[in-house]
Amino acid sequence: MKIKQNFLPVLLLIACCYSWSTKAQTTLNKTGNRWELLVDNNPFQIKGVTFGCDNDVKNYDKYFNDLLFLGVNTIRIWGTNDNTQQLLDAAQSYGVKVMMGIWMRHGRPGMEDDDSFNYLKDTIGMEDMYKHALETVEKFHKHPAVLTWAVGNEVYLNIATEAEKEAYSKLLERICSNIKKIDANHPVTSVEGWTFGLDWWQKWVPSIDIYGINSYGAGANYIAGEIEKRGIDKPYIVTEFGVTGEWDIKAKKMD
């Protein structure tokens, strides 16, 4: 039921500028109850880290050399910016694949972006996110370093009401289904904290090919059980993991 592949929450990565004329295809294969990720028909096991140093372009070479030393073959980014083309070119030059993040706004302040967005009322903002997502795919889908698309990061975790989550889910399905029309060569994923997205994805977002799950502490050991308990027949990738986060540590009462 799963692709056993994990992303360490290490903020490292890449660089250089090249022009690439070829593209790589990422596909999924299922044999029995086992899912397998393929790149150009060859099995590909993700050995990944998250990447938060995209603005430090001058040190891309240093970061990539460090990553190769660690055995990394994939990086994950949460969104794109003016340096994304250089990032992809550098990744390709070092033989590293990129899980391409497409940022979706959070429904209330919190986490790293400290944003607040109303998925029930802000139709203009939702249309902006939709257009940005498809423009990103149009721009980068032929680059050979692209592994998958990852739409959103922990959005359900940061939305307060059921009605807002439903509205976000419908937008997410619209985006994911249209990405597939543009790019048939790369699976579509979405990323959520722990299991907060599973029921919503299963009901509202059938166009997601792979579930992305961020899990810290011992949680990664229980993901497979949560997937099976819900009868979900889709693979997943552990898109962030590490030691127990400070948000999970109970504060001790001072005497």
Side-chain angles (χ1 to χ4, degrees), residues 129-154:
M129 281 187 277
Y130 170 78
K131 291 179 179 178
H132 167 72
L134 297 195
E135 287 170 358
T136 298
V137 176
E138 287 276 12
K139 184 174 182 179
F140 297 116
H141 76 280
K142 293 183 179 180
H143 199 289
V146 173
L147 183 70
T148 68
W149 303 104
V151 187
N153 181 72
E154 300 187 350

Side-chain angles (χ1 to χ4, degrees), residues 6-226:
N6 307 314
F7 282 85
L8 291 167
V10 179
L11 305 182
L12 297 174
L13 284 317
I14 31 285
C16 298
C17 293
Y18 300 90
S19 176
W20 307 100
S21 58
T22 61
K23 59 184 178 182
Q25 183 181 46
T26 307
T27 54
L28 289 165
N29 181 55
K30 186 182 182 185
T31 303
N33 66 348
R34 178 180 175 82
W35 290 92
E36 187 175 38
L37 196 67
L38 306 174
V39 174
D40 291 335
N41 295 317
N42 296 310
F44 186 85
Q45 183 178 16
I46 293 174
K47 299 175 183 178
V49 298
T50 55
F51 170 56
C53 300
D54 47 317
N55 289 325
D56 192 11
V57 177
K58 66 181 181 180
N59 285 313
Y60 277 179
D61 288 314
K62 177 183 181 300
Y63 295 142
F64 266 124
N65 280 308
D66 288 344
L67 290 174
L68 293 183
F69 175 79
L70 294 171
V72 170
N73 65 6
T74 308
I75 61 170
R76 176 191 168 215
I77 58 175
W78 294 272
T80 57
N81 58 30
D82 292 341
N83 299 322
T84 300
Q85 182 66 48
Q86 290 172 273
L87 178 68
L88 286 168
D89 290 347
Q92 179 64 17
S93 71
Y94 283 90
V96 173
K97 293 295 183 182
V98 182
M99 188 175 189
M100 293 286 290
I102 297 174
W103 189 255
M104 301 290 286
R105 296 179 64 181
H106 289 159
R108 56 181 170 175
M111 304 303 287
E112 68 276 6
D113 204 48
D114 197 27
D115 191 20
S116 182
F117 184 81
N118 192 318
Y119 280 97
L120 291 175
K121 297 180 179 180
D122 195 342
T123 55
I124 294 176
M126 285 190 284
E127 194 65 20
D128 286 343
M129 281 187 277
Y130 170 78
K131 291 179 179 178
H132 167 72
L134 297 195
E135 287 170 358
T136 298
V137 176
E138 287 276 12
K139 184 174 182 179
F140 297 116
H141 76 280
K142 293 183 179 180
H143 199 289
V146 173
L147 183 70
T148 68
W149 303 104
V151 187
N153 181 72
E154 300 187 350
V155 179
Y156 290 108
L157 178 62
N158 287 280
I159 292 180
T161 68
E162 300 289 290
E164 290 174 280
K165 290 178 181 179
E166 181 177 329
Y168 167 69
S169 299
K170 292 177 179 178
L171 174 62
L172 184 60
E173 171 60 19
R174 183 184 173 209
I175 289 172
C176 293
S177 62
N178 281 285
I179 287 176
K180 297 165 88 68
K181 294 177 183 178
I182 298 170
D183 182 13
N185 289 313
H186 302 100
V188 178
T189 75
S190 188
V191 177
E192 191 52 54
W194 183 224
T195 60
F196 291 105
L198 293 181
D199 295 333
W200 294 96
W201 287 336
Q202 190 176 19
K203 181 176 180 180
W204 295 102
V205 200
S207 293
I208 296 176
D209 299 303
I210 305 170
Y211 292 168
I213 299 177
N214 296 341
S215 180
Y216 290 83
N221 297 321
Y222 302 99
I223 296 173
E226 292 295 324

